[in-house]
Amino acid sequence: MATIAFTLIFICVMLFVIKPRLAPLIEKRIADRKRARGLLAGILAFVLASAWVTEGIGIHALFGGFLAGVVMPNVSGFRVFLKDQLEAFSSAALLPLFFVFTGLRTQITLLNDWFGWLMCLGIIVVAVTGKLGGSMLMARWTNMNWRDSFSIGVLMNTRGLVELVVLNIGYDLGILSARIFVMMVIMALATTFMTGPLLRLVSLKKPA
């Protein structure tokens, strides 16, 4: 109950106290290149502080970082500024490090018997059936043709980075064992890798 109460208080403070004050503060600094450097440092400090607070409350730091992004104002040129300053560094350095970190935790040797690999295959089948099949049928239910419905199912089926983030959180919290973690990572990678070939297959069969 304390965690829920502090979380609600933190959300209210971020949305109703900090967010209204960010817009004028950022507008003054975004136009000045010299002050923009300090602005970038301040934003990074704000994001890290928000993540630290949520970690201290008892929920994952990911939520704090997300909420810090939510309260950022829609100031002209601000999003472009952040993208130019952070995208290259995060794509070239932070993202590969995260995948390396996940790879080091993924002990493929734990799947050392046929039962383990069959269970992993079963997880992949259930994942594809539930997301690709379910999304495709719902799209078809809205009167889309089967080709477009299948394409939507394929796009929804991909897990990508977010799935790996969630799996690492579950592993850190002890919800997932090391063996199940390996199976889920393989499932996330398999469903992500199949997206491109399946979409190309659909486009090849599309009538001119």
Side-chain angles (χ1 to χ4, degrees), residues 36-37 40 79-90:
R37 296 179 181 177
L40 180 62
R79 297 180 186 276
V80 177
F81 168 75
L82 284 182
K83 182 179 180 182
D84 292 341
Q85 296 295 324
L86 297 177
E87 186 175 36
F89 174 71
S90 60

Side-chain angles (χ1 to χ4, degrees), residues 44-208:
L44 291 176
F46 172 66
V47 171
L48 293 175
S50 179
W52 176 75
V53 170
T54 55
E55 187 76 23
I57 289 174
I59 57 178
H60 200 271
L62 180 68
F63 180 76
F66 170 77
L67 194 57
V70 169
V71 300
M72 290 294 173
N74 191 19
V75 177
S76 177
F78 177 59
R79 297 180 186 276
V80 177
F81 168 75
L82 284 182
K83 182 179 180 182
D84 292 341
Q85 296 295 324
L86 297 177
E87 186 175 36
F89 174 71
S90 60
S91 299
L94 299 181
L95 193 60
L97 284 176
F98 173 75
F99 281 110
V100 170
F101 172 72
T102 303
L104 290 173
R105 304 180 106 185
T106 306
Q107 305 175 50
I108 301 293
T109 53
L110 292 176
L111 301 182
N112 53 6
D113 53 20
W114 283 107
F115 177 75
W117 284 106
L118 286 175
M119 184 181 294
C120 182
L121 179 62
I123 291 174
I124 294 174
V125 171
V126 171
V128 173
T129 303
K131 233 184 177 185
L132 192 156
S135 301
M136 180 179 66
L137 291 177
M138 290 305 297
R140 178 58 182 166
W141 186 58
T142 61
N143 296 323
M144 295 183 67
N145 60 58
W146 280 110
R147 181 178 289 105
D148 291 341
S149 299
F150 181 75
S151 298
I152 289 178
V154 170
L155 291 172
M156 290 296 296
N157 184 55
T158 182
R159 265 72 178 179
L161 179 63
V162 176
E163 177 78 8
L164 294 179
V165 171
V166 173
L167 291 177
N168 276 283
I169 293 173
Y171 186 70
D172 289 336
L173 295 175
I175 299 172
L176 302 175
S177 66
R179 187 176 170 91
I180 294 297
F181 177 77
V182 173
M183 297 179 186
M184 297 297 287
V185 169
I186 293 175
M187 178 274 296
L189 295 176
T191 54
T192 301
F193 290 157
M194 69 174 60
T195 302
L198 289 178
L199 287 177
R200 283 194 293 270
L201 179 65
V202 172
S203 63
L204 288 175
K205 293 185 177 182
K206 187 175 181 179

